[in-house]
Structures are given as structure tokens and as C-alpha cells.
């Protein structure tokens, strides 16, 4: 029963609540901004980040 | 003859299997990439490796046919490799296939949960959901008996760390020159040692392994440092779970708070970037926080975090050495000789460092080495993520929530993290100011 409550709550949160939150103005803007900059918010380590972003960072450092 | 005497001996150790599996996968990817031609440099095996992608409204958005194919191939290959290792380590082991598929399915679920765009924007990633998925099962209906053969958290973690070694190129340690070295090389070890001593001497944290895992997690680079340190000092599963949970909680707050302070006080972009890179735990959160201050701040922030990432190998080696020579010998044993130190030393750390050295040499000296290493590790980093995710599912399944509550008694780990992070914030701010504003200002 407890597991069913966990699963049900997670399903509601991920399938209904979070998609709605993601479409709210400021949150949507933030998500779009991160996407445009090729930033994976959940990257654990730098090598998890998009290769283009890593290459941009290296280029920027070299040019400085 | 008794039944116990008839039982065949294990073949190899967990550490040796981790080095073999991780090193073997790295070698296969490197060789496949190198022999696939240089125009353009690409890994021909890349299509066989995938994990669920990002989605907003429905998980199906992150699960194309190609991704499903990559997930199934990864599951098949891992099942074969880990079954061989598990059966060698536990002769006579049966029922690995259904157990592993279930653990793999839970890991897939963790990736899907962590891939939702809103969740990602808070830097809450798959390790948290993998632990929670495991905890939800083990602490409600209990772990089904048939799952036991695949609960090999340490084997998955160590294999993942050897794979991770290939991603850490030693030349990156010097990426920002003296300012970056000062922020990452000086502040990080000082905060790590000071926080560990604070936990022991002031807070009186009983478990030294919990103390060092939380200290490394906070001072180096979050979850990845916690994983490496926990494996190096043989910390308990629930201690690693706790450190990961605390790290993600603080990261979700700091990724908004630190840039807000930097903007509010009008800090110099490079100074603010170094501050962000040196204090926020996870790399995704560092990149997101840096981006709010502009491209230059983001570049410095990501590079400081990259240097800290590379330091993980050095720190894991130092912690492992300290543990076998000082901590374990102080626990009622004599000062160990070299032979004993070698026997106790977690050998996978050598695989981790060895992979880093080999890939660094290939990147530096082989023709088109950097491109080949980048293409090969683009695939191995996905395999490494699967290893970590499988490990956290297994850890969650083996963790009793009451043990976690016991560790949180009197909130000492939280106090340790908060105090250590405060020192980290102040010290990084000061050293970054001296290095990036006074000694090496932007030209």
C-alpha cells in the first residue's frame, strides 16, 4: 500500500505537476536559456556537459 | 568433506574485476575510435550505447527508437559482463539475469525521472532518484529474494570510476594557469582536511568514513567525489546515500543563492566564476549558475570545476592511502608494513588513476589524440553513468531507512556540511579575489 502511494504520487508529480511547472513563465525562460546555452542542469561532472559547451569554454580560455 | 570445503574459490577480487571491466571497455572504445578513420573522428560503437534523454510533458519525448536500441544493447552487454564477474566472485551464483534486468529497469526509471526538464533545471539528477527508487522498494514491500544476485553496488561503482578515469585528462589541471590552480589546488584540500578535522574534533562524528565522505562531497565536486571517496575508504552504503542526498539539497539552493549574491554585489565576472566553480557541488549547477553571470563567468566556473574533477583521482588515492596506513592501523592494529598496506589498498584506485594517465598520454601525444579521446569518452561517459545509476539503485535496495535516520541523529552530518561549506565559500571568495582581481586581473 505504501509503495502504491509512492508510485502514485511520483506519477502525478512527474506527469502532471512538473510539466505544468516547466511551462510557467520564469521557469520556462530558465529552461529555454539553459537549453540554448547547451547546459545540462543535471550534469554530475564537467565531462557530462555538452561537447560544444566544453569546446566553447576551452576556446574562450585560450583567447583570453 | 563438508559442503563449505567443496565450494570453489572465487576467481579474482571485486577490484580486479572492476579494473578489467572498466579498462576493457575503455580500451575497446579507444581502439574502435582510432581505427574508424580520422575524417571525421567518431566512435563506430557509439550507437550501441544510450540512456533516456530530456523530456518536458511525456517520458516518450526522451525515448526515441534509437535510444531504446542503445539502452537494450547496453543492458545486454552489461548483463554479460557483470554476470561473468558476479559468477567468478561468487561461484555457483544463479539467477543473475532476471535480477540484473530488474535493477537495470529501475536504473532506466531513475534516468527518466531525472530527465524531466523542470527537475533537471534544479540540478536534481539520476543518483538521487536511483537511491529513492531502491529505498521505496526496500522499505515498503522489501527486496524480493530473486534480486539479491544483482545487488553488486560496489562492483558497479568501481567499474564506473575506472571508466571515469578515462575522462580525466591531467593537462586540464593547468587549464586556468596559476589563478585556477590556487583556487582548486589550494582551497579544495584545505577545506577537505579542515572539515574532516572539524567533524572529528568538534562535532565528534563517530563514523570516520561518513565524516570523510561528506567532507569530500562538499569540498571537491559533490556526488562524483563522494562516490570515489566512499569506495576508497570503504564507507557504508547508507553513508554514501546520505552524502549524495545532502549534496543535492544544498546544490539546489546554492545554484541560485551564489549567483544572486555575485550579481547583487557587482562582482568581477572571473572572480564570481571562480567562486561559483569552487563552491557549488555539481557541474550542471555550476554551468547553470555561471551562465546567469555571462559567458566569461561560466567559462571560469566550469574550468575551476573541471580542475576539481581531475583532482578526484588524487584525492581518492590520498584517502585510500591514509585509510590503510593511519585509520585502520589505529583501530587496534599495529602500524602496517608495506605488504599489508598493499593488501588492504583498494586496487581499483590504481585502475582509476591508470586510465586517467593512459588517456592523458593518448590525448597529448597520439596523432589526432585529443579528438580520438573525446570521441571515445563521449561513449564511455554514458556507460559510466549507467554504472553509477545501477550502483545507486543497488545501494537504495540495500539501505534500511532506519539506518539513514540513525546517521542523521542530532543532524551532525548536516551541520558538518553547512560549516564546511561556509568555510569553503569564504576561503574560495578570498583566494579567488586575490588571484583573479589583484594578482592576475583580466587584461
Amino acid at each position: 500500500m505504501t509503495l502504491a502511494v509512492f508510485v502514485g504520487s511520483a506519477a502525478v508529480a512527474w506527469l502532471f505537476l512538473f510539466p505544468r511547472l516547466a511551462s510557467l513563465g520564469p521557469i520556462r525562460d530558465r529552461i529555454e536559456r539553459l537549453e540554448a546555452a547547451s547546459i545540462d542542469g543535471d550534469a554530475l561532472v564537467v565531462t557530462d556537459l555538452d561537447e560544444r559547451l566544453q569546446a566553447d569554454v576551452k576556446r574562450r580560455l585560450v583567447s583570453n | 568433506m563438508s559442503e563449505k570445503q567443496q565450494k570453489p574459490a572465487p576467481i579474482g577480487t571485486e577490484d580486479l574485476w572492476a579494473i578489467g571491466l572498466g579498462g576493457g571497455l575503455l580500451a575497446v572504445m579507444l581502439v574502435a575510435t582510432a581505427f574508424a578513420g580520422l575524417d571525421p573522428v567518431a566512435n563506430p560503437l557509439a550507437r550501441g550505447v544510450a540512456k533516456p534523454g530530456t523530456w518536458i510533458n511525456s517520458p516518450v519525448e526522451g525515448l526515441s527508437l534509437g535510444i531504446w536500441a542503445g539502452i537494450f544493447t547496453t543492458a545486454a552487454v552489461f548483463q554479460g559482463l557483470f554476470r561473468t564477474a558476479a559468477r567468478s566472485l561468487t561461484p555457483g551464483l544463479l539467477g543473475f539475469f532476471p535480477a540484473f534486468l530488474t535493477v537495470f529497469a529501475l536504473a532506466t526509471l531513475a534516468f527518466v525521472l531525472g530527465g524531466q526538464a523542470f527537475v533537471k533545471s534544479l540540478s536534481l539528477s539520476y543518483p538521487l532518484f536511483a537511491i529513492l527508487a531502491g529505498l521505496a522498494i526496500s522499505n515498503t514491500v522489501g527486496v524480493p529474494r530473486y534480486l539479491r544476485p544483482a545487488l553488486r553496488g560496489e562492483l558497479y561503482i568501481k567499474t564506473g570510476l575506472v571508466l571515469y578515469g578515462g575522462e580525466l585528462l591531467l593537462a586540464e589541471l593547468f587549464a586556468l594557469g596559476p589563478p585556477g590552480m590556487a583556487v582548486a589546488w589550494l582551497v579544495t584540500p584545505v577545506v577537505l582536511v579542515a572539515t574532516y578535522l572539524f567533524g572529528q574534533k568538534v562535532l565528534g562524528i563517530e563514523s570516520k568514513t561518513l565524516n570523510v565522505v561528506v567532507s569530500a562531497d562538499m569540498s571537491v565536486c559533490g556526488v562524483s567525489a563522494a562516490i570515489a571517496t566512499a569506495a576508497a575508504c570503504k564507507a557504508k552504503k547508507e553513508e554514501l546515500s546520505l552524502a549524495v542526498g545532502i549534496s543535492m539539497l544544498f546544490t539546489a539552493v546554492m545554484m541560485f543563492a551564489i549567483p544572486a549574491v555575485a550579481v547583487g554585489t557587482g562582482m568581477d565576472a572571473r572572480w564570481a566564476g571562480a567562486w561559483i566553480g569552487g563552491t557549488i557541488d555539481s557541474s550542471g549547477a555550476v554551468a547553470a549558475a555561471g551562465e546567469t553571470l555571462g559567458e566569461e563567468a561560466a567559462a571560469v566556473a566550469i574550468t575551476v570545476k573541471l580542475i576539481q574533477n581531475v583532482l578526484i583521482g588524487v584525492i581518492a588515492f590520498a584517502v585510500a592511502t591514509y585509510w590503510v596506513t593511519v585509520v585502520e592501523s589505529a583501530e587496534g592494529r599495529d602500524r602496517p608494513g608495506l605488504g599489508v598496506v598493499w593488501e588492504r589498498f583498494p586496487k581499483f584506485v590504481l585502475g582509476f588513476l591508470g586510465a586517467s594517465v593512459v588517456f592523458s598520454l593518448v590525448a597529448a601525444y597520439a596523432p589526432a589524440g585529443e579528438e580520438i579521446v573525446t570521441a571515445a569518452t563521449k561513449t564511455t561517459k554514458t556507460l559510466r553513468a549507467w554504472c553509477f545509476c545501477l550502483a545507486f539503485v543497488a545501494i537504495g535496495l540495500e539501505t534500511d531507512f532506519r539506518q539513514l535516520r540513525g546517521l542523521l541523529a542530532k543532524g551532525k552530518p548536516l551541520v558538518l556540511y553547512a560549516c564546511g561549506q561556509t568555510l569553503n565559500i569564504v576561503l574560495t571568495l578570498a583566494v579567488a579575489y586575490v588571484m583573479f582581481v589583484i594578482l592576475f586581473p583580466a587584461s
Side-chain angles (χ1 to χ4, degrees):
Chain A
M1 181 63 187
T2 316
L3 183 60
V5 171
F6 275 139
V7 173
S9 309
V12 169
W14 262 267
L15 296 175
F16 298 101
L17 182 62
F18 294 159
R20 300 242 161 124
L21 286 172
S23 66
L24 289 178
I27 298 174
R28 189 189 57 220
D29 292 348
R30 178 178 159 76
I31 291 170
E32 286 174 355
R33 211 177 54 240
L34 293 180
E35 203 174 58
S38 305
I39 291 173
D40 270 332
D42 66 339
L44 283 189
V45 291
V46 170
T47 46
D48 280 337
L49 293 170
D50 189 281
E51 284 81 21
R52 282 169 300 174
L53 176 65
Q54 292 183 53
D56 280 351
V57 167
K58 281 182 188 167
R59 257 198 306 277
R60 177 165 282 276
L61 291 173
V62 169
S63 68
N64 281 346
Chain B
M1 201 181 275
S2 73
E3 194 181 316
K4 194 176 178 185
Q5 283 169 317
Q6 287 174 338
K7 199 174 172 184
I11 302 168
T13 63
E14 201 170 65
D15 282 35
L16 291 180
W17 272 104
I19 293 172
L21 295 178
L25 286 167
L26 284 173
V28 166
M29 295 303 169
L30 193 64
V31 170
T33 309
F35 284 91
L38 300 177
D39 192 27
V41 175
N43 182 355
L45 304 177
R47 281 188 186 176
V49 179
K51 60 184 175 64
T54 306
W55 58 280
I56 297 178
N57 295 308
S58 162
V60 179
E61 296 163 18
L63 289 163
S64 65
L65 272 181
I67 286 179
W68 272 121
I71 291 173
F72 282 124
T73 314
T74 308
V77 171
F78 269 10
Q79 190 279 141
L81 294 176
F82 286 123
R83 185 180 59 175
T84 308
R87 292 185 70 164
S88 301
L89 292 166
T90 314
L93 181 80
L94 294 172
F96 187 85
F97 181 70
F100 184 80
L101 283 193
T102 309
V103 174
F104 196 91
L106 288 170
T108 309
L109 175 68
F111 277 127
V112 169
L113 295 179
Q116 206 279 336
F118 172 68
V119 174
K120 275 181 92 156
S121 73
L122 295 175
S123 278
L124 298 174
S125 54
Y126 64 86
L128 183 67
F129 302 114
I131 292 173
L132 290 177
L135 276 175
I137 292 171
S138 61
N139 291 274
T140 53
V141 293
V143 181
R145 202 176 170 77
Y146 87 94
L147 278 184
R148 297 277 171 204
L151 301 186
R152 296 259 171 191
E154 288 190 13
L155 178 64
Y156 305 141
I157 276 191
K158 289 171 180 174
T159 306
L161 283 169
V162 174
L163 285 168
Y164 184 43
E167 298 168 41
L168 301 176
L169 305 182
L170 299 174
E172 314 282 15
L173 283 171
F174 308 97
L176 270 176
M181 286 157 70
V183 172
W185 291 31
L186 182 69
V187 178
T188 304
V190 167
V191 174
L192 169 58
V193 173
T195 309
Y196 177 70
L197 293 176
F198 180 77
Q200 290 297 290
K201 310 277 183 199
V202 181
L203 295 178
I205 292 179
E206 282 179 21
S207 168
K208 289 181 176 172
T209 46
L210 173 65
N211 193 351
V212 78
V213 172
V214 173
S215 303
D217 175 343
M218 176 278 303
S219 59
V220 190
C221 47
V223 176
S224 48
I227 292 171
T229 318
C233 71
K234 300 160 195 159
K236 291 177 189 149
K237 296 173 180 72
E238 57 273 17
E239 294 175 341
L240 177 57
S241 301
L242 185 62
V244 168
I246 294 174
S247 171
M248 293 215 169
L249 184 74
F250 274 83
T251 298
V253 175
M254 285 182 57
M255 67 186 288
F256 296 104
I258 296 276
V261 172
V263 169
T265 54
M267 283 171 71
D268 169 82
R270 294 165 78 236
W271 179 24
W275 193 36
I276 286 169
T279 54
I280 297 177
D281 285 345
S282 87
S283 299
V286 164
E291 191 270 342
T292 59
L293 299 176
E295 289 184 351
E296 191 171 18
V300 172
I302 291 169
T303 312
V304 167
K305 187 51 65 186
L306 177 62
I307 300 171
Q308 284 192 334
N309 285 172
V310 183
L311 278 175
I312 292 177
V314 180
I315 285 169
F317 183 81
V319 168
T321 308
Y322 178 72
W323 233 254
V324 295
T325 55
V326 179
V327 177
E328 289 183 0
S329 64
E331 287 169 356
R333 278 168 262 181
D334 294 332
R335 191 161 187 81
L338 267 181
V340 177
V341 168
W342 172 248
E343 192 187 321
R344 288 185 202 159
F345 192 84
K347 315 288 185 302
F348 83 92
V349 174
L350 302 178
F352 181 24
L353 289 173
S356 177
V357 170
V358 169
F359 272 61
S360 299
L361 290 173
V362 171
Y365 297 110
E370 199 169 345
E371 289 85 351
I372 291 171
V373 165
T374 303
T377 53
K378 189 176 175 183
T379 312
T380 60
K381 73 181 184 185
T382 308
L383 294 174
R384 181 254 303 158
W386 273 112
C387 286
F388 286 170
C389 200
L390 290 166
F392 281 115
V393 170
I395 287 171
L397 285 168
E398 290 187 295
T399 300
D400 185 336
F401 198 71
R402 283 167 298 187
Q403 289 171 319
L404 276 180
R405 263 206 321 234
L407 286 176
L408 267 172
K410 297 179 190 168
K412 282 183 182 178
L414 283 170
V415 175
L416 177 71
Y417 191 102
C419 291
Q421 191 61 280
T422 306
L423 172 68
N424 194 19
I425 287 170
V426 172
L427 201 57
T428 307
L429 186 69
V431 173
Y433 178 73
V434 171
M435 299 309 293
F436 285 92
V437 178
I438 296 178
L439 296 179
F440 300 92
S443 50

